[in-house]
């Protein structure tokens, strides 16, 4: 996968005027290759800068949402599986606002299409869905793209130090607990 991503990165970089189109298409096809949204937006900031990278990412994320809308209507089993996931996560008790969905899209551990499914269920038609998908795509596109642009502006030593710092933070905030089932903890001896 790294090789594919590297080749895609080089292809976009060398494609001149077609680069934005290829970048938007990379957004659309990233889900097939299981590439996170965060990584594609970072690449957008690195290649195009914060302003243009954000615009291209917003267009790409909205295009992904529209493709997802079509796929959910073509393959109802996909919708069923994601609805089950949504019920586990949201417990059918929450009415989310657009602002809350914007914040949830900023969180890299929340599945991108979970929010898209919620939008499908809370909108009336594809036009309204596309409008809200565009709005909800703005925060992650701007934040992650700006971050990618910042990495681009750092010298090599700064980038390496920053990557080491992120790795240390990642290790520091990992889950540090162990769950023991009640029955395992209080084992009763059979005599």
């Amino acid at each position: 996968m790294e090789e594919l991503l590297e080749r895609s990165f080089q292809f976009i970089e060398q494609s001149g005027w077609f680069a934005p189109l290829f970048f938007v298409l990379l957004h659309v096809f990233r889900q097939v290759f299981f590439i996170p949204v965060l990584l594609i937006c970072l690449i957008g900031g690195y290649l195009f800068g914060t302003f243009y990278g954000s615009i291209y990412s917003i267009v790409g994320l909205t295009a992904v949402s529209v493709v997802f809308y079509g796929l959910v209507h073509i393959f109802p089993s996909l919708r069923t599986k994601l609805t089950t996931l949504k019920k586990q996560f949201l417990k059918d008790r929450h009415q989310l606002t657009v602002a809350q969905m914007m914040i949830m899209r900023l969180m890299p551990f929340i599945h991108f299409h979970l929010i898209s499914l919620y939008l499908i269920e809370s909108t009336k038609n594809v036009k309204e869905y596309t409008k809200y998908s565009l709005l909800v795509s703005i925060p992650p596109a701007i934040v992650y793209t700006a971050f990618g642009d910042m990495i681009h502006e750092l010298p090599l030593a700064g980038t390496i130090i920053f990557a080491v710092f992120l790795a240390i933070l990642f290790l520091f905030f990992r889950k540090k607990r162990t769950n023991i089932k009640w029955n395992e903890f209080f084992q009763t001896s059979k005599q």
Side-chain angles (χ1 to χ4, degrees):
M1 184 175 98
E2 267 184 53
E3 184 179 322
L4 173 71
L5 192 58
E6 184 64 32
R7 278 192 274 150
S8 301
F9 183 69
Q10 289 174 352
F11 180 73
I12 289 171
E13 203 171 45
Q14 297 170 355
S15 57
W17 288 98
F18 289 110
L21 174 66
F22 292 132
F23 181 70
V24 169
L25 289 175
L26 181 62
H27 262 292
V28 173
F29 291 110
R30 71 156 176 82
Q31 50 208 356
V32 175
F33 302 112
F34 301 105
I35 302 170
V37 174
L38 170 69
L39 185 60
I40 301 299
C41 290
L42 286 172
I43 290 171
Y46 186 83
L47 290 175
F48 303 110
T50 303
F51 182 73
Y52 289 110
S54 295
I55 290 172
Y56 302 148
S57 286
I58 291 168
V59 171
L61 292 174
T62 305
V64 166
S65 296
V66 171
V67 167
F68 176 74
Y69 185 90
L71 288 174
V72 161
H73 286 83
I74 293 171
F75 302 108
S77 62
L78 176 65
R79 185 176 188 154
T80 305
K81 288 178 183 178
L82 284 170
T83 301
T84 304
L85 179 67
K86 184 186 84 98
K87 285 179 182 177
Q88 289 174 351
F89 184 73
L90 296 175
K91 310 262 191 256
D92 278 340
R93 288 182 265 168
H94 299 285
Q95 287 293 100
L96 298 176
T97 64
V98 173
Q100 287 175 315
M101 287 184 276
M102 288 174 156
I103 292 169
M104 287 177 73
R105 277 268 167 97
L106 274 171
M107 298 176 192
F109 54 86
I110 294 180
H111 196 281
F112 184 84
H113 293 307
L114 185 67
I115 304 302
S116 295
L117 180 66
Y118 190 86
L119 281 171
I120 288 171
E121 292 174 350
S122 60
T123 55
K124 297 176 189 138
N125 54 33
V126 70
K127 184 179 178 182
E128 186 180 9
Y129 169 79
T130 304
K131 180 179 90 172
Y132 285 119
S133 291
L134 177 89
L135 288 173
V136 171
S137 297
I138 292 172
I142 292 173
V143 170
Y144 298 148
T145 304
F147 193 64
D149 189 28
M150 181 189 78
I151 289 172
H152 182 265
E153 298 296 323
L154 285 174
L156 180 61
T159 303
I160 292 170
I161 291 169
F162 187 68
V164 168
F165 174 72
L166 287 178
I168 291 169
L169 277 178
F170 179 77
L171 291 173
F172 181 73
F173 287 112
R174 71 181 186 270
K175 192 174 181 179
K176 298 177 184 176
R177 64 180 185 168
T178 304
N179 291 331
I180 300 173
K181 293 182 181 178
W182 182 267
N183 294 338
E184 291 174 4
F185 187 75
F186 293 106
Q187 288 183 349
T188 56
S189 59
K190 293 182 181 181
Q191 296 176 349

